[in-house]
Amino acid sequence: MTPDPETTTFLIAGPVRIHPRVLRAMSFSSVNHRGDYFHGVVGEIRELLPVLFGARGHHAILTGSGSAGLEAMYSSLVPKDGRTLVLSNGNFGERTDQIVRRYASTVTTLTAPWGQHIPIEAARAELDRGDVRAVCVVHNETSVGLQNDLALLAPHVRRSGALFLVDGISAVAGIPLEIEAWGIDAVVAGSQKGLAAPAGLAMVHLSDRAVAALHPGTFYLDLAEHLSSIEKNDTPWTPAVPLFLALREALLLLKEETLAGRLARTHALADATRAAAAAIGLELYPDPAHASDTVTAIRNPAGLGDAQVRKALLDTFHVAVQGGQGALKGKIFRIGHMGIADWPDLLVAFAGLERILAKAGRLRTPGAALSAIAERMPLPP
Ligand code: PLP
């Protein structure tokens, strides 16, 4: 049977499934991006963005994927004179390092093996030397399904006076981020992850301190330019108008659920995913103490590769999950459970995984994963 993309169980690590209200919001006749209607849309988005970040502040909306937001943040904020500290423990930490090195004069990179938490003590030692001007870190390392505990890092960054710059692309609206309490100066969110809007927009949150520190980076992504336009409910260049319409609707959906509600639901789905995996003997890739609430990375069972697990899930059960990146290709698969992912998605995915294990003669307790999920589903009111 040719699978129906609209009913495929879509659990990749972003882009995520999109609510029909958000899809419909994009199907709109052409809009003059310099006209009153669009200015009104930008104005509404500005009012709604604090719901996404859980904090008031300065917000820029950039046409481009999450990486455009990262390039904007790092090019405008890492110091041209002074030291920048990068903390890296996965593919996107390595990406941070690559971007930062394009713009910063002196960079120190501290790494942890993929799947392990960033090295907090080593970071503290670097920060205590007193010359670090910016710290750059990925909140949720999507490539290995690990969330870095920024509450542990925050006091050291604050004491040092360095700017605290965060890639929150797969964390925002999925994992608690205390922007004010932790003293975070800049965070980048991607439209296609916890917010469940289409891919193609990056939202950047900036503190007063970050705005004061902005310097010209790239031309197209100049944050000062974007901030001065958005003050007038405008954008400096032609924006991706349909994506802005979708963004407004996705933000309204988030407001209806509340940020706290979405974080709690995402956590419950993550907890059920981990319990279901454990119930049928599947092993997490990252340190379980820091397993991500938005993406669960699971090792392929010994002897089974991408073709037997991920491809079989897609071809036989029409369940889309994501493979590993870089050195983890063929070794892990990743289940995204952020945005509007829901309980039926997990039930279908794990029913398929149980059948895959059954075929390989590895399923000792049939139904155990499904029970683990069902036991965690909410009781009706
Ligand atoms: N950083 C993180 C943590 C991500 O998860 C991703 C994408 O998955 C990116 C950066 C890159 O974002 P994009 O592909 O939207 O440019």
Side-chain angles (χ1 to χ4, degrees):
M1 176 183 111
T2 305
D4 170 359
E6 292 193 2
T7 56
T8 289
T9 301
F10 197 69
L11 293 172
I12 74 167
V16 302
R17 189 174 67 235
I18 301 171
H19 195 287
R21 260 174 59 185
V22 176
L23 289 174
R24 279 198 293 270
M26 280 191 292
S27 311
F28 203 77
S29 53
S30 290
V31 171
N32 174 6
H33 61 293
R34 303 294 180 217
D36 290 344
Y37 181 77
F38 193 70
H39 291 320
V41 171
V42 177
E44 276 183 66
I45 291 172
R46 281 177 65 196
E47 291 287 312
L48 288 165
L49 279 175
V51 177
L52 175 67
F53 287 104
R56 298 219 149 257
H58 309 266
H59 296 124
I61 309 156
L62 309 172
T63 290
S65 73
S67 303
L70 298 178
E71 184 121 37
M73 173 172 73
Y74 294 132
S75 67
S76 308
L77 286 169
V78 293
K80 290 197 185 350
D81 50 349
R83 200 151 70 96
T84 298
L85 182 64
V86 171
L87 303 172
S88 165
N89 57 345
N91 186 53
F92 293 107
E94 291 181 3
R95 185 85 55 82
T96 302
D97 196 50
Q98 285 178 318
I99 304 172
V100 166
R101 283 176 188 276
R102 289 260 169 129
Y103 299 102
S105 54
T106 315
V107 182
T108 303
T109 305
L110 297 177
T111 61
W114 285 31
Q116 299 299 311
H117 197 269
I118 48 166
I120 298 288
E121 273 314 300
R124 185 187 58 76
E126 289 296 336
L127 289 164
D128 283 353
R129 285 173 50 188
D131 64 338
V132 173
R133 304 254 320 272
V135 177
C136 309
V137 65
V138 177
H139 189 189
N140 186 71
E141 192 34 271
T142 324
S143 62
V144 294
L146 182 147
Q147 57 192 54
N148 286 310
D149 189 347
L150 298 190
L152 293 179
L153 179 66
H156 308 304
V157 180
R158 264 207 317 273
R159 208 174 47 246
S160 76
L163 287 170
F164 197 175
L165 312 180
V166 175
D167 169 349
I169 289 171
S170 66
V172 170
I175 292 171
L177 172 67
E178 303 286 340
I179 290 180
E180 280 156 13
W182 300 344
I184 291 172
D185 290 297
V187 186
V188 175
S191 50
Q192 77 275 30
K193 307 275 185 179
L195 182 59
L201 293 177
M203 285 70 68
V204 187
H205 169 99
L206 297 162
S207 68
D208 291 342
R209 213 164 74 105
V211 172
L214 287 175
H215 53 71
T218 74
F219 182 83
Y220 185 72
L221 300 170
D222 184 337
L223 283 174
E225 199 69 53
H226 281 269
L227 290 179
S228 83
S229 285
I230 206 169
E231 289 277 300
K232 295 166 258 163
N233 293 337
D234 208 349
T235 56
W237 337 117
T238 307
V241 172
L243 297 183
F244 275 62
L245 299 174
L247 174 65
R248 173 176 62 174
E249 199 62 33
L251 286 166
L252 284 171
L253 280 170
L254 179 62
K255 188 179 175 196
E256 287 160 24
E257 184 173 12
T258 75
L259 180 60
R262 182 152 310 177
L263 295 177
R265 196 170 51 73
T266 305
H267 174 72
L269 293 174
D271 178 52
T273 303
R274 294 188 284 260
I280 50 174
L282 295 175
E283 207 187 320
L284 292 189
Y285 176 77
D287 175 354
H290 300 288
S292 161
D293 271 358
T294 55
V295 183
T296 297
I298 298 174
R299 289 180 194 274
N300 280 337
L304 303 186
D306 232 22
Q308 291 80 29
V309 182
R310 194 167 64 89
K311 194 163 180 306
L313 269 179
L314 185 61
D315 292 350
T316 316
F317 307 109
H318 309 149
V319 173
V321 299
Q322 200 139 24
Q325 293 176 300
L328 294 178
K329 230 184 172 88
K331 301 213 165 86
I332 64 168
F333 64 95
R334 293 174 294 153
I335 301 176
H337 30 66
M338 60 193 123
I340 61 166
D342 208 353
W343 296 99
D345 300 321
L346 294 189
L347 287 169
V348 174
F350 275 92
L353 282 167
E354 287 206 0
R355 298 306 291 153
I356 286 166
L357 289 177
K359 182 178 176 211
R362 305 271 190 84
L363 187 65
R364 280 190 297 268
T365 45
L370 300 184
S371 297
I373 294 166
E375 281 161 17
R376 285 164 178 81
M377 288 169 69
L379 293 167

